Amino acid sequence: MTTFHTPQIISIPQDAKERALTFADAVTRTVNYQDSNQQIQEKIRDDHFVSKIGEEAARILFQSRDCLVEGPDYGVYEARRKSWAADLKINGLDVAVKTQRRSAAQRYGLSWTFQDAPQRRDPILNQPEAWVCLVVYEDLKPETECLIYPLKKIKHLIFEAPRLAKLVGKKQAVYLETLIKRGVFQA
């Protein structure tokens, strides 16, 4: 399912940004990422905020293209009720949304990570037909906007070890430069 072939820029309205902030504040208290060596509450909060901003951007884009979109889910669940459910349903298809800040991309390269540790592994890595939406949160601009790449199936992404050493063995990364070099995305 693709409705566009080049990255699309989406402005995020203030109400969506506020929903993402409220969610990030609420959910941070309910998660434990010690298996990823992540204990800094502000980083955990920011990761959840950025994730929701990406989901909102994808929702806005696909709704503007007359797609039926379900999500994002703003429920805050206790640990045993958390799931790996798709971030959005677009025309009935499950779609995972992965988002990275542009400022982080300047340090590590534009990439998106997937959990892949012995204790916690993203089930989408075992679903070659699953759809993924890759998003860049343009946090270096004064306005709140995202760049959304065309949807791809997990089997078309190219996974590499993360460049950040502390993530090796805990996550797998997809780097934009590799996707462009291999023809998955246009430059």
Side-chain angles (χ1 to χ4, degrees):
M1 171 182 63
T2 265
T3 59
F4 56 97
H5 299 285
T6 59
Q8 304 292 301
I9 298 171
I10 295 295
S11 293
I12 308 299
Q14 186 60 33
D15 64 324
K17 188 175 177 180
E18 289 170 9
R19 279 193 303 275
L21 283 168
T22 300
F23 173 79
D25 286 337
V27 79
T28 298
R29 297 183 297 271
T30 71
V31 296
N32 178 346
Y33 293 146
Q34 289 184 351
D35 62 331
S36 299
N37 293 332
Q38 186 52 261
Q39 299 172 28
I40 301 168
Q41 293 297 299
E42 189 55 36
K43 170 76 167 93
I44 294 168
R45 179 185 172 275
D46 185 66
D47 287 349
H48 285 286
F49 168 72
V50 170
S51 292
K52 285 300 177 201
I53 286 292
E55 291 172 26
E56 285 285 356
R59 176 190 61 78
I60 292 165
L61 174 64
F62 284 98
Q63 283 180 338
S64 76
R65 296 177 176 290
D66 296 323
C67 294
L68 178 61
V69 181
E70 295 176 40
D73 179 4
Y74 281 97
V76 177
Y77 307 102
E78 55 198 58
R80 69 178 186 274
R81 289 194 57 225
K82 293 185 187 297
S83 77
W84 290 91
D87 298 307
L88 300 175
K89 275 193 182 288
I90 301 173
N91 290 338
L93 296 174
D94 289 345
V95 176
V97 179
K98 296 290 184 177
T99 309
Q100 185 186 36
R101 282 180 175 270
R102 178 68 70 184
S103 57
Q106 287 186 331
R107 290 181 296 219
Y108 311 114
L110 187 48
S111 64
W112 299 271
T113 59
F114 294 74
Q115 186 68 35
D116 191 15
Q119 305 88 339
R120 211 165 30 103
R121 185 171 199 273
D122 191 333
I124 199 170
L125 294 171
N126 297 325
Q127 300 168 10
E129 298 297 321
W131 290 100
V132 180
C133 182
L134 302 175
V135 179
V136 180
Y137 171 39
E138 299 288 4
D139 66 320
L140 299 176
K141 294 183 174 184
E143 59 279 351
T144 305
E145 64 182 34
C146 291
L147 183 66
I148 303 175
Y149 285 86
L151 293 180
K152 294 294 175 187
K153 288 187 176 184
I154 200 89
K155 69 183 179 183
H156 295 128
L157 300 179
I158 300 159
F159 291 92
E160 303 176 54
R163 293 181 185 153
L164 190 57
K166 72 180 183 178
L167 299 180
V168 173
K170 295 177 176 67
K171 297 193 181 271
Q172 288 192 47
V174 173
Y175 288 91
L176 180 62
E177 66 189 48
T178 301
L179 296 177
I180 290 172
K181 203 179 300 181
R182 302 259 184 97
V184 176
F185 287 131
Q186 300 172 13

